[in-house]
Amino acid sequence: MSRSLINRFTLGVIAVIVAIGLAACGGAAAPAANKAAADEVTAVWVKAFDAGDAAALAALYAEDAHTTPAAGGAITGRSSIESYWRDDLGSGGAVTKLTPVDSMAQGDLLYVDGSYEVTAKDGGSALAAGQYQQLWNHAGGQWRVQQEIWRLDPSLQRDPKMAEQMTSRWMAAYNAADVSSLMALYDNDAELSTQPEGSVAGKAAIEFFWKSDFGASKPSTTLTLTDVYVAGDLAHLEGEYSVLEKDIATKGRYVQLWMRDGNDWRIHREMWWK
C-alpha cells in the first residue's frame, strides 16, 4: 500500500471512456446519441435477465468481455460472466428495469449510461437499485457487451457514522502494526488487490501482505472517506489514503467492500491504487 498502488477497479471506467474517445479520433463521424440502439440492446438484456436464463444473458457478452458488479471485483470472460449471473439469478424470480439515460454511438461502438431497479417478481419488493454503464460492440451482425460497470444507488446510503467507525478501526489497527486486530476485520475468503503487487486471496495471504507492508518502519496512514454506499448487508467505502513512511508521503485512493457478518462487518474485497 505504501508504494505504487494502481487498482484494476478503475480500469473499467477508463476503458469505456477511452474506447469511445479513440473511435471518435479514427476519422469517422463524431459520436452521437442513438436512443433506438440503446433501447434495442436494453430490451434484449432485460428479457434474458427476467427469464432467469444465464446462458442467454451470457450470450450477449463478448468472449473477452469485462463486467464489474456492484458487490465485487471485475469478472473477465463470457464463461466467468455466465457463472456470475447464474449465481446471481439463482432460481429466478427477479425482474429488472433498465432505464438508459444517455447513449453515445460511433461506428461499431455503443455506450449506454443509465439506472437499474431489481424487484421480486412475486411481490414486487425492491431488491436493488443503482446506476450502470455498458459499452456494446457490434460484430458478426450482433451487439455484444464489451465492458460494463454496476454500482449501488447513492440514495441508498445510510448511517455514514458506521462507515467512519469501520475506517477508524482499520486505521487504528494498521497504524499500530497490530496484525491480529487488522485481520479481525477481514472475512476468511477476502481478496486484496494492488498494483504492481497483484491480488491475494484468503486471510493468511492478506496477513502476510500487511506484515510485509509494515516492515520495520511502521508506516502511518490516514484514510479519508469520499463516498459511502450502504444497501442491506453491503457497504461500499471509497476514499483517499495518505501514508507517511520515513518522512516520505504516498497518496492514492482505495475501495473496500464490507459485508455484515452477524453483529459485525468484515471486508470481503479491497483495492488500492496510487
Side-chain angles (χ1 to χ4, degrees):
M1 177 177 135
S2 54
R3 292 289 185 269
S4 302
L5 301 179
I6 301 176
N7 162 23
R8 289 177 302 175
F9 182 84
T10 60
L11 296 184
V13 177
I14 294 171
V16 171
I17 296 172
V18 170
I20 288 290
L22 290 177
C25 296
N34 191 332
K35 184 178 183 303
D39 289 344
E40 175 189 343
V41 297
T42 298
V44 175
W45 197 98
V46 168
K47 180 179 179 180
F49 181 94
D50 290 355
D53 191 337
L57 194 57
L60 300 177
Y61 290 77
E63 193 65 41
D64 58 349
H66 301 273
T67 182
T68 303
I75 301 171
T76 301
R78 183 185 293 161
S79 60
S80 296
I81 292 172
E82 180 175 350
S83 296
Y84 168 78
W85 284 121
R86 195 175 302 281
D87 291 341
D88 186 75
L89 292 168
S91 58
V95 296
T96 190
K97 177 183 178 182
L98 300 188
T99 304
V101 176
D102 292 304
S103 66
M104 187 179 296
Q106 201 283 335
D108 292 331
L109 294 176
L110 172 66
Y111 170 72
V112 182
D113 186 350
S115 62
Y116 70 89
E117 299 176 17
V118 183
T119 58
K121 185 180 296 184
D122 50 5
S125 57
L127 299 177
Q131 294 82 41
Y132 73 96
Q133 296 171 320
Q134 291 178 325
L135 179 69
W136 294 74
N137 182 35
H138 196 267
Q142 182 177 344
W143 286 104
R144 287 190 170 88
V145 180
Q146 187 68 48
Q147 181 84 38
E148 70 178 6
I149 300 171
W150 305 86
R151 65 181 295 171
L152 299 174
D153 192 336
S155 68
L156 295 176
Q157 176 180 331
R158 72 163 189 253
D159 198 0
K161 290 184 178 179
M162 179 184 67
E164 293 171 0
Q165 291 172 357
M166 295 175 182
T167 299
S168 295
R169 290 171 63 191
W170 195 98
M171 280 194 298
Y174 180 91
N175 290 338
D178 185 345
V179 177
S180 296
S181 296
L182 189 61
M183 295 317 302
L185 303 178
Y186 288 81
D187 182 74
N188 289 332
D189 297 324
E191 293 183 16
L192 181 152
S193 177
T194 66
Q195 188 74 20
E197 290 86 348
S199 299
V200 295
K203 253 187 173 180
I206 294 174
E207 180 176 352
F208 179 81
F209 175 88
W210 287 125
K211 280 183 177 179
S212 301
D213 189 72
F214 292 151
S217 60
K218 292 184 64 174
S220 175
T221 189
T222 300
L223 303 186
T224 304
L225 285 169
T226 57
D227 290 293
V228 177
Y229 311 110
V230 181
D233 293 334
L234 298 177
H236 173 99
L237 277 58
E238 184 172 344
E240 301 172 348
Y241 73 82
S242 176
V243 178
L244 186 63
E245 183 178 7
K246 295 181 179 179
D247 297 325
I248 298 175
T250 303
K251 297 182 178 182
R253 295 190 61 81
Y254 72 96
V255 173
Q256 291 176 328
L257 178 71
W258 296 66
M259 295 183 67
R260 191 189 301 276
D261 184 3
N263 295 324
D264 206 349
W265 291 78
R266 287 187 170 80
I267 299 169
H268 280 244
R269 298 290 185 273
E270 181 176 63
M271 291 156 277
W272 304 84
W273 71 98
K274 184 175 179 181

